[in-house]
Amino acid sequence: MNMLRTMRRIGGHQKNNLMNAFKGRPLDAPSLVAMTIDLDDAEIAEGWLRRENFWQESAMAAEYENEFARWNGSSHAYAFMGGRVALSAAIHALGLRAGDEVIVPGYTCIVVPNAFKYEKINVRYADIELDTYGPDVQSVKARINEKTKAILIHHLYGLVCRDYEALIDLAKDKGIKVIEDCAHATGAKYKGVNVGNRGDVAFYSSEQSKIFTTIQGGVASTNSDEIAEGLRSYREKAPLPSRERITALLKNVIGSYYQFKHPRRWYMRDVAELKYAKYRLISTTDEEMKGIRPSFYGERMPVSLAAVGLNQLRKIDQYNEKRREQASEWERVCDKKGWKKPVVVAGSKPVYLRYPVLVEPEKKKDLLWAARELGVSPGVWFVSNLHPVPGVLADCPNANLAVERCINFPSLLN
Ligand SMILES: *Cc1c(COP(=O)(O)O)cnc(C)c1O
């Protein structure tokens, strides 16, 4: 059955190739995932697949954590199997408990509220603003009560959120903690400092659709020694992924190279499909969609993937610069088309994981026009308030509008 599906996908892909060649269009539309995986990353993954005896070692995982902290300008960093797990570590490190309340933007991924719900922490949703899709400080303020222990702020699409300073000041004033969700914004700067360094604790993602990638993965960082101790203790207790999962993750690194970056990917992609389809991993499981904690949730990063992460960090600044250049192209397109551009906050340097624009709702429902007019397939982050789980949140009108109208263009085209 799986094989049949694979063959169908290959057939469809080659039919598209023919059509594109016929119409003089490029054979491979840019991908929204794994565009930072190059041959060197695939070779590192190949190497670690042959060194299974060393998969338990932790030295290089520590090297990755240290290098991330250094590069990010943070005192401490700890690596996990997911940004969501890094968030769980942050929740542990802040000492949040059952019955506490946190405020989360009502425009996020389901795995974010899940991390709180696993600990029976109550989540209240604040609305976002439509300049940078960050939490709106007035909306956050209106939701604070005596049980509120933390605010989660995010820097979506790689944009530094508009109310960054106001939110940090508000939290200080009220004596509550700030968690920064930097899953889209690894390397974005505000006043010369990487985002994530102003709140109490931050998390980053190296999932395959993010700024840099280890297929799945995440980092938690802090500048507080006390919070670092909490993150470290969570990481100490965290198990490594199973042998099967590590194998699949490494195979996905290699497969992604053939699929998205190999110079002859118009057919190598299908060769890779035959070889790697059986290792495909899904980012958010059916259990997580229902708010259930998967059995393997909470793992730390194994040395083999950390080696890929370390290599990704060597290239991250270069790729982020490319993303910024592509963003200025999209800016020009927006000016021409009259679409609402995102706002670049004064003093900020975004990284543009994707370039978000607001279009008419009908245009979001059927994206074929974009391939025709712009030669790309846009992303649809987010398709719901708690992406990708259907459902609408009350009292979040801006978030609801973004769900209906925000599409996002790729920032790496090759
Ligand atoms: C991807 C994402 C996360 C979670 O990161 P994972 O590495 O996938 O666990 C959290 N917040 C936002 C906004 C994300 O897009």
Side-chain angles (χ1 to χ4, degrees):
M1 267 322 278
N2 267 336
M3 193 59 186
L4 198 66
R5 256 204 302 273
T6 302
M7 293 311 291
R8 275 215 195 100
R9 246 198 320 264
I10 290 176
H13 183 219
Q14 289 307 336
K15 200 171 90 193
N16 281 344
N17 275 350
L18 263 171
M19 281 284 286
N20 288 337
F22 186 65
K23 298 199 167 165
R25 289 192 298 237
L27 289 191
D28 285 288
S31 163
L32 288 160
V33 303
M35 288 295 279
T36 61
I37 289 186
D38 302 296
L39 179 60
D40 53 356
D41 302 290
E43 284 172 350
I44 290 168
E46 288 277 12
W48 278 99
L49 279 168
R50 289 192 300 265
R51 285 200 297 277
E52 212 175 304
N53 291 345
F54 298 94
W55 284 7
Q56 305 285 325
E57 287 199 355
S58 55
M60 191 174 271
E63 196 183 330
Y64 171 58
E65 294 175 336
N66 293 338
E67 176 55 17
F68 187 92
R70 188 204 62 78
W71 171 84
N72 202 43
S74 311
S75 317
H76 311 272
Y78 299 92
F80 299 94
M81 283 316 297
R84 65 200 76 179
V85 183
L87 170 58
S88 286
I91 291 167
H92 167 83
L94 291 178
L96 303 181
R97 296 215 182 85
D100 287 345
E101 265 189 34
V102 295
I103 298 170
V104 169
Y107 188 67
T108 186
C109 294
I110 185 67
V111 299
V112 170
N114 275 359
F116 294 103
K117 289 180 178 173
Y118 296 156
E119 307 305 324
K120 302 197 164 53
I121 296 159
N122 296 324
V123 176
R124 280 179 152 247
Y125 295 101
D127 202 6
I128 58 166
E129 34 79 15
L130 294 171
D131 289 335
T132 65
Y133 307 88
D136 180 273
V137 67
Q138 293 310 329
S139 179
V140 170
K141 196 170 176 182
R143 281 151 177 76
I144 294 177
N145 63 38
E146 64 287 348
K147 285 188 187 160
T148 312
K149 293 286 156 43
I151 305 172
L152 182 136
I153 68 177
H154 64 204
H155 307 281
L156 235 45
Y157 308 115
L159 302 159
V160 176
C161 70
R162 186 194 71 187
D163 297 344
Y164 198 10
E165 285 197 332
L167 286 158
I168 303 264
D169 289 347
L170 173 68
K172 276 215 182 89
D173 187 47
K174 302 278 185 185
I176 53 192
K177 301 291 184 193
V178 173
I179 303 170
E180 288 190 57
D181 177 345
C182 303
H184 292 194
T186 311
K189 289 178 196 294
Y190 181 68
K191 295 188 175 168
V193 176
N194 279 18
V195 294
N197 283 302
R198 280 184 161 75
D200 294 280
V201 61
F203 66 94
Y204 304 78
S205 171
S206 58
E207 193 262 349
Q208 60 180 344
S209 59
K210 305 300 165 77
I211 287 282
F212 71 128
T213 185
T214 54
I215 305 299
Q216 293 181 0
V219 176
S221 78
T222 183
N223 291 307
S224 147
D225 293 345
E226 197 187 326
I227 293 169
E229 195 39 45
L231 295 176
R232 200 193 55 77
S233 84
Y234 190 96
R235 200 265 273 99
E236 286 299 280
K237 292 188 204 104
L240 284 171
S242 67
R243 208 176 56 81
E244 289 72 24
R245 258 170 61 70
I246 294 179
T247 304
L249 288 156
L250 293 171
K251 296 272 188 188
N252 271 270
V253 172
I254 303 164
S256 296
Y257 166 67
Y258 286 111
Q259 208 173 345
F260 305 118
K261 293 303 281 293
H262 190 282
R264 289 179 302 284
R265 58 191 173 279
W266 68 270
Y267 75 91
M268 282 310 287
R269 170 185 165 161
D270 293 333
V271 178
E273 183 87 36
L274 286 172
K275 206 164 156 194
Y276 298 106
K278 65 172 179 285
Y279 298 107
R280 185 158 291 143
L281 293 160
I282 42 167
S283 296
T284 300
T285 62
D286 290 345
E287 288 169 304
E288 286 173 294
M289 301 272 280
K290 292 185 205 133
I292 301 166
R293 187 182 153 124
S295 56
F296 58 81
Y297 187 93
E299 296 161 346
R300 67 191 154 96
M301 180 159 285
V303 47
S304 49
L305 266 197
V308 175
L310 205 51
N311 198 52
Q312 287 279 300
L313 279 181
R314 290 192 191 106
K315 304 186 282 191
I316 191 169
D317 290 330
Q318 253 170 296
Y319 273 119
N320 282 351
E321 208 42 52
K322 273 181 87 167
R323 291 183 191 276
R324 292 186 189 104
E325 283 163 22
Q326 184 56 42
S328 26
E329 294 293 322
W330 291 128
E331 249 174 59
R332 277 191 280 279
V333 171
C334 285
D335 287 339
K336 225 162 62 194
K337 305 262 182 193
W339 292 329
K340 187 191 174 301
K341 291 181 293 192
V343 170
V344 177
V345 171
S348 80
K349 197 172 173 193
V351 280
Y352 300 102
L353 174 60
R354 295 180 182 186
Y355 192 88
V357 298
L358 296 177
V359 297
E360 297 79 45
E362 308 77 59
K363 281 191 119 105
K364 182 162 181 170
K365 286 196 192 104
D366 178 7
L367 294 162
L368 279 175
W369 60 270
R372 259 193 327 266
E373 282 177 40
L374 307 168
V376 298
S377 306
V380 289
W381 283 350
F382 294 136
V383 298
S384 59
N385 295 83
L386 308 178
H387 180 92
V389 174
V392 177
L393 292 176
D395 303 321
C396 294
N398 286 341
N400 299 344
L401 186 147
V403 164
E404 282 202 326
R405 299 183 45 183
C406 184
I407 60 167
N408 13 96
F409 297 129
S411 58
L412 290 176
L413 301 196
N414 53 55

